[in-house]
Amino acid sequence: MRTVEISVGVFMLAGIFALILLALRVSGLSIQTAQSTYHVHAFFDHIGGLKVRSKVAISGVNVGRVVSISYDKTEMRAKVVMEIDSQVNNIPTDSTAAILTSGLLGEQYIGITLGGEEKTLQEGGEIWNTQPAQILEDLIGKFLKQSVKEVE
């Protein structure tokens, strides 16, 4: 009887531990030690549903995360600060940053398309060539307007 109780207790602890790890993964938090990173800024006309801790990817590979999102009064655009892994130190200064969506209605993240410039981004570097988020409601509205024009 005692063996059954102990094994049930161990099984319950393993289940609770698994749920904690799952919650950390889903929330974007991690229990990993901090790696060496550098910060890059990008300015967007519209950020859509982009959030802090969203991933930053190059060719689909996660290379960083969004640290902060704010409104820049001088540029009058959204300023997104990204934390990039220092091992990825070859991003050209003429690269393009776009807000993309995973799947049809998935989470939004920043995708960086590399440019051809030899000079690379350093700490505090800025990406000026950006593409805003595609807003699903805007796309539906454009489609409906086009459909109404065709009917008339």
Side-chain angles (χ1 to χ4, degrees), residues 91-151:
I91 301 174
T93 55
D94 64 339
S95 297
T96 302
I99 298 177
L100 306 171
T101 304
S102 298
L104 184 61
L105 297 173
E107 68 174 347
Q108 291 192 322
Y109 67 96
I110 295 182
I112 297 177
T113 304
L114 301 178
E117 185 73 33
E118 287 187 23
K119 189 174 178 185
T120 59
L121 292 171
Q122 304 298 320
E123 174 67 33
E126 296 178 340
I127 298 177
W128 289 96
N129 190 6
T130 59
Q131 297 174 2
Q134 293 294 327
I135 309 303
L136 187 59
E137 292 83 7
D138 291 345
L139 293 175
I140 293 170
K142 288 178 184 176
F143 174 75
L144 291 175
K145 272 187 179 178
Q146 188 66 29
S147 297
V148 170
K149 285 182 182 178
E150 289 177 2
V151 171

Side-chain angles (χ1 to χ4, degrees), residues 74-89:
T74 57
E75 292 297 323
M76 293 193 278
R77 298 170 76 190
K79 178 180 180 181
V80 177
V81 179
M82 298 170 279
E83 189 176 67
I84 308 292
D85 185 7
S86 62
Q87 293 178 348
V88 184
N89 57 2

Side-chain angles (χ1 to χ4, degrees), residues 4-15:
V4 172
E5 290 176 357
I6 290 173
S7 60
V8 168
V10 168
F11 182 72
M12 291 296 292
L13 285 175

